[in-house]
Amino acid sequence: NTLSLHDALPISKTQIIDIVGRSDFNPASNAHVLKFIKEEIKQPKAGDSVDKNAIMSYIASYENSDDVPEFYYKLLSFREDSKLLSTYIKGIYNLAGIDGRVHSRFYLVGTETGRLSSRDPNVQNIPKHGAYKKKIQNIFLPEEGYLLGETDYSQLELRIGAHLSQDDALISYLEKGDMHREMASLLFGVPFDQVSDEQRFIAKRGVFGIMYLMDEYGAVYNLRPHYPAMDRVLARKMISLMQTKFAKLYRYTIKLQEEGFTAHEIRTLF
């Protein structure tokens, strides 16, 4: 059984304190975290930021995944649990209406992508991964007699990429069904029906990474916090697999990049 966030957070804090070796260490203090990173871990090229991007870049900087200090993973976990607790556990009560239910607000403007945005609470950001995803998702229940619906495009970017590049392999995978599980099966060498959700998540990121010319460092940067075993060797294997499987898509993205550098613009189809 998964511990409640109320119970897990103190345990997570204690684990960090044990790693640091100081009872007065506060993982919620940026000053404490920065001092430990610079003076104890002696992180090369450590800047003055300890935000998520900085920590992820430190994690990705290690060639061997086994050399990454456990402190970084524990810190990210502690922060994520703290955010979940304040946003979806404690914070949710302050957002309830007079009927005792929450009514999120949706806005047509406010995002760079042109998508709908949601606030108070942001129901578009409910965790889809992690130990507490089910518990937090179960907070949002419809009134009796009603249903709570969720709609989303299925692999929209990949479908557009398949159309633009006319990549037969990508089109075939999209038509067959769960292409990310297929890719995970190839990447990790396990039968299709034995692919874990974690392995599928890694493969999915890899497939999408092809469209944005993700390199080895980018793969490690984005995936190692979710999958500590991710190293440059596995990243290289994943990128090579995706580039080989979806060669026409890869060549198309390279062509687009080259055209952008040459013409200093990228044109849409219409």
Side-chain angles (χ1 to χ4, degrees):
N1 292 333
T2 303
L3 286 170
S4 73
L5 276 169
H6 289 283
D7 296 329
L9 209 55
I11 294 174
S12 181
K13 182 178 180 179
T14 300
Q15 289 173 340
I16 293 175
I17 288 173
D18 289 342
I19 291 172
V20 173
R22 282 181 47 190
S23 60
D24 62 340
F25 184 86
N26 180 7
S29 167
N30 287 345
H32 283 199
V33 170
L34 182 61
K35 184 177 181 180
F36 182 74
I37 289 174
K38 286 188 172 183
E39 296 182 5
E40 301 299 328
I41 294 179
K42 293 181 172 56
Q43 178 68 43
K45 299 180 181 179
D48 293 327
S49 174
V50 290
D51 64 11
K52 183 177 181 179
N53 288 335
I55 300 301
M56 287 175 65
S57 69
Y58 297 154
I59 290 174
S61 68
Y62 290 84
E63 182 77 22
N64 191 333
S65 59
D66 293 335
D67 294 334
V68 181
E70 188 181 10
F71 173 82
Y72 289 141
Y73 294 120
K74 293 295 184 183
L75 180 65
L76 288 178
S77 178
F78 173 81
R79 287 177 172 177
E80 181 65 21
D81 290 350
S82 298
K83 181 181 177 182
L84 292 177
L85 184 62
S86 62
T87 303
Y88 293 110
I89 308 300
K90 294 180 179 178
I92 206 78
Y93 292 104
N94 299 326
L95 300 174
I98 57 174
D99 59 354
R101 308 189 69 82
V102 293
H103 301 271
S104 181
R105 300 177 183 182
F106 291 88
Y107 298 87
L108 293 172
V109 295
T111 62
E112 294 181 359
T113 59
R115 298 178 180 180
L116 281 172
S117 61
S118 167
R119 298 178 192 167
D120 302 327
N122 182 357
V123 294
Q124 294 173 314
N125 204 32
I126 298 171
K128 293 184 178 180
H129 306 282
Y132 302 103
K133 65 176 183 178
K134 284 296 182 184
K135 289 191 174 185
I136 292 175
Q137 288 171 359
N138 288 338
I139 292 174
F140 299 91
L141 300 174
E143 189 175 346
E144 189 173 351
Y146 290 82
L147 295 174
L148 187 61
E150 178 184 10
T151 59
D152 192 11
Y153 289 109
S154 175
Q155 321 298 349
L156 179 62
E157 293 98 328
L158 289 178
R159 293 180 188 280
I160 293 173
H163 175 74
L164 293 176
S165 66
Q166 287 298 294
D167 190 307
D168 296 330
L170 181 55
I171 293 171
S172 175
Y173 271 105
L174 286 168
E175 288 177 342
K176 281 197 294 185
D178 194 342
M179 66 170 295
H180 301 310
R181 197 168 294 278
E182 291 271 5
M183 288 296 98
S185 177
L186 291 172
L187 178 62
F188 293 100
V190 296
F192 177 87
D193 58 354
Q194 293 180 25
V195 171
S196 68
D197 289 343
E198 184 181 53
Q199 290 171 331
R200 183 185 181 279
F201 173 78
I202 298 301
K204 179 179 179 180
R205 288 289 185 93
V207 173
F208 276 95
I210 283 284
M211 299 182 61
Y212 303 104
L213 300 178
M214 181 172 65
D215 59 13
E216 290 174 22
Y217 176 82
V220 176
Y221 173 90
N222 284 289
L223 296 174
R224 186 176 274 174
H226 306 283
Y227 187 71
M230 174 61 70
D231 57 16
R232 302 290 172 87
V233 174
L234 181 57
R236 199 175 301 126
K237 178 183 177 183
M238 178 178 71
I239 292 170
S240 177
L241 172 66
M242 303 306 174
Q243 290 177 353
T244 303
K245 276 287 180 184
F246 309 118
K248 289 181 73 173
L249 174 64
Y250 177 62
R251 289 196 297 269
Y252 177 79
T253 56
I254 290 291
K255 176 172 167 286
L256 271 186
Q257 184 186 60
E258 291 173 346
E259 289 176 353
F261 285 139
T262 302
H264 304 292
E265 66 178 17
I266 293 293
R267 291 176 176 264
T268 63
L269 286 180
F270 310 106

